Amino acid sequence: MTKVTMTVNGATVSGEVEGRTLLSSFLREGLALTGTHVGCDTSQCGACVVHVDGKAVKSCTAFAVDLDGASVTTIEGMANADGSLGVVQQAFQDHHGLQCGFCTPGMVMSAAALLAENSKPTEAEVRHYLEGNICRCTGYHNIIKAVLAASGQDVSGIAAE
Amino acid sequence: MHNFEFVKPSSIADAVAALRQEDAQALSGGQTLMPTMKQRLAAPSVLVSLTGIAEMKGIRASGGVVEIGAATTHAEVAAGAGAYPALTALAGNIGDPAVRNRGTIGGSLANNDPAADYPAAALASGATIVTNAREIAADDFFQGLFTTALEEGEIITAVRFPVPERAAYAKFQQPASRFALTGAFVAKTSAGVRVAITGAGEDGVFRWTDAEAALSGNFSAAVLNGLAAPEDGLIGDLHGTPAYRANLVKVMTQRAVAAA
Ligand SMILES: Cc1cc2nc3c(=O)[nH]c(=O)nc-3n(C[C@H](O)[C@H](O)[C@H](O)COP(=O)(O)OP(=O)(O)OC[C@H]3O[C@@H](n4cnc5c(N)ncnc54)[C@H](O)[C@@H]3O)c2cc1C
Ligand code: FES
Ligand code: FES
């Protein structure tokens, strides 16, 4: 076992991990942050996306021990300080960007990473950026709409589908 | 996944020493190796991370050559290798953003997946693969499916790309995996034209020499109209027959020439 220390959602945390402990397991089992979902565990679906040093990463495909010293943000870190939903989360609720909600944590984290890089993306840019996030419920249209709305763009002309 | 001992050296020399241990294997971005270990198709007893080695990271452009550290991520190449635009465009379309934030050029070349993108860029550009021990020309490096000239314990430290006069990559994506169903990288230099095809060959990336000869005389998409790529040795699977891929080889090469 090796000791790792990270900053997770602003707090310094430490834990003992095996070499093979995935970041997703460290977050969910070690820190009880179960908002990060594991869908495929094979780096295909994007449900497990978190931010590592500000960048979107699939937490099922990173070893916790490799990220000693990193700063990690999970879906639990996306709400406002008063506990209300953050901008991207609120946009997903307002525009029905989720149904079962399983893909949503990864979608929100990927969308937030996109908006940090590109504050006013086009629809095509949103679709390209979310290629690694799979949703089996919504058909994507409302997710795209929610991300565009979260960027402050007018989405009233985009029909709900 | 079987457990292993994890080490993260900070120099190439320490990494090479660590890789001398029994059943040791290099770990770069892990985007290929980790899924492989989960399937227990790989079970190293020591994993040597290459991502803590500063001398293996970064992009340097000078004298018409772009040199990229092997542990540089796809996202970093997409953002920082502006001196070679065809390469930045290729890097920005590998997988998805999360894969690009971890996966590295060295890992991709060492893995030599028959549908990977970077091998086409390296072969068409006539790149040099720099290892801890020697320099290997791209023409000698790729040796068949998931096989390269690397010896046991040898690691790629950097890749040197001479920047062509004109170049472009055209990729027909397999929509589920985003790997290349067929991709063509075309590079034109004063010495002639090189065309490298990925995704289509049973032995991995290869040069389409008939197209190179035709394009060296006249660098236009139309010059390939009368040419057919040979179906021999092309992959046939549920995504496409060899004949379908042969057609894609031609169409993707023409698109790359038009875009170059
Ligand atoms: C969802 C998904 C989509 C993808 N789509 C694409 C795509 O469209 N196109 C594409 O080209 N690739 C794609 N990939 C693969 C991706 O580009 C990987 O990052 C890449 O193939 C491996 O790089 P890595 O740094 O992750 O290597 P790792 O997984 O860490 O290592 C791969 C292999 O290379 C060895 N190795 C690593 N670094 C070195 C080195 N410096 N010297 C010697 N050996 C080394 C390792 O021991 C291992 O055997 C995709 C992957 C995923 C998960
Ligand atoms: S659980 Fe990580 S990509 Fe699906
Ligand atoms: S809302 Fe159910 S998978 Fe996306």
Side-chain angles (χ1 to χ4, degrees):
Chain A
M1 300 288 264
T2 312
K3 186 180 176 194
V4 294
T5 303
M6 298 177 198
T7 306
V8 177
N9 301 329
T12 305
V13 297
S14 298
E16 294 283 328
V17 297
E18 291 185 308
R20 65 181 164 182
T21 304
L22 304 171
L23 177 59
S24 52
S25 316
F26 181 66
L27 294 169
R28 289 178 52 85
E29 289 149 35
L31 304 178
L33 293 172
T34 52
T36 298
H37 289 171
V38 176
C40 65
D41 208 16
T42 59
S43 42
Q44 299 296 320
C45 75
C48 67
V49 168
V50 300
H51 298 177
V52 174
D53 296 327
K55 296 191 161 60
V57 163
K58 292 174 181 170
S59 61
C60 77
T61 311
F63 291 119
V65 64
D66 205 6
L67 298 175
D68 190 34
S71 175
V72 175
T73 306
T74 69
I75 188 70
E76 288 89 347
M78 297 305 281
N80 297 320
D82 66 359
S84 61
L85 296 181
V87 174
V88 180
Q89 293 172 309
Q90 189 61 54
F92 270 67
Q93 187 185 70
D94 293 346
H95 297 280
H96 305 286
L98 64 149
Q99 287 178 20
C100 80
F102 197 87
C103 70
T104 313
M107 287 289 180
V108 169
M109 298 314 287
S110 286
L114 165 65
L115 297 180
E117 274 174 36
N118 180 352
S119 60
K120 292 273 182 283
T122 63
E123 179 179 338
E125 286 168 341
V126 176
R127 288 186 185 276
H128 180 62
Y129 203 91
L130 294 181
E131 274 180 346
N133 291 82
I134 294 173
C135 176
R136 292 291 80 151
C137 298
T138 62
Y140 300 100
H141 292 290
N142 287 346
I143 292 177
I144 309 302
K145 192 175 178 181
V147 179
L148 291 168
S151 74
Q153 302 185 76
D154 178 20
V155 292
S156 54
I158 302 177
E161 293 194 41
Chain B
M1 188 189 303
H2 292 291
N3 202 18
F4 51 83
E5 187 198 332
F6 178 85
V7 289
K8 194 165 184 174
S10 54
S11 73
I12 293 170
D14 287 351
V16 171
L19 283 166
R20 284 201 200 101
Q21 298 170 80
E22 181 132 355
D23 289 330
Q25 188 167 357
L27 172 74
S28 197
Q31 301 303 293
T32 295
L33 183 54
M34 291 183 63
T36 314
M37 288 171 65
K38 287 180 181 178
Q39 291 175 292
R40 299 192 175 176
L41 295 172
S45 50
V46 182
L47 218 43
V48 182
S49 169
L50 303 178
T51 55
I53 304 175
E55 53 187 321
M56 279 180 62
K57 287 189 186 172
I59 303 163
R60 294 162 292 274
S62 75
V65 174
V66 173
E67 181 172 312
I68 302 175
T72 308
T73 63
H74 309 329
E76 287 161 352
V77 174
Y84 193 170
L87 194 66
T88 59
L90 175 149
N93 273 307
I94 295 176
D96 56 62
V99 167
R100 295 195 287 274
N101 283 334
R102 297 287 296 167
T104 65
I105 187 168
S108 177
L109 292 172
N111 195 50
N112 194 17
D113 187 298
D117 298 310
Y118 272 129
L123 189 59
S125 311
T128 302
I129 318 296
V130 184
T131 78
N132 59 296
R134 58 193 165 133
E135 298 189 352
I136 309 170
D139 280 308
D140 303 323
F141 182 80
F142 302 105
Q143 300 193 342
L145 288 196
F146 300 104
T147 310
T148 68
L150 291 174
E151 303 280 354
E152 189 77 28
E154 184 176 10
I155 54 171
I156 303 175
T157 57
V159 192
R160 244 179 253 145
F161 292 91
V163 181
E165 287 163 14
R166 292 167 70 179
Y169 180 58
K171 169 178 175 177
F172 190 88
Q173 275 189 1
Q174 205 281 67
S177 77
R178 293 174 298 282
F179 274 93
L181 193 54
T182 291
F185 199 108
V186 171
K188 179 180 187 300
T189 66
S190 54
V193 177
R194 289 167 65 109
V195 178
I197 305 294
T198 189
E202 284 182 319
D203 292 328
V205 68
F206 65 93
R207 285 172 66 186
W208 185 19
T209 47
D210 290 349
E212 292 182 353
L215 290 166
S216 292
N218 174 4
F219 193 71
S220 75
V223 77
L224 300 178
N225 283 342
L227 210 61
E231 288 173 35
D232 258 14
L234 295 196
I235 298 171
D237 61 14
L238 78 167
H239 304 302
T241 60
Y244 179 77
R245 281 191 169 82
N247 186 57
L248 274 182
V249 167
K250 174 167 158 175
V251 173
M252 289 301 116
T253 304
Q254 288 184 308
R255 285 189 192 169
V257 172

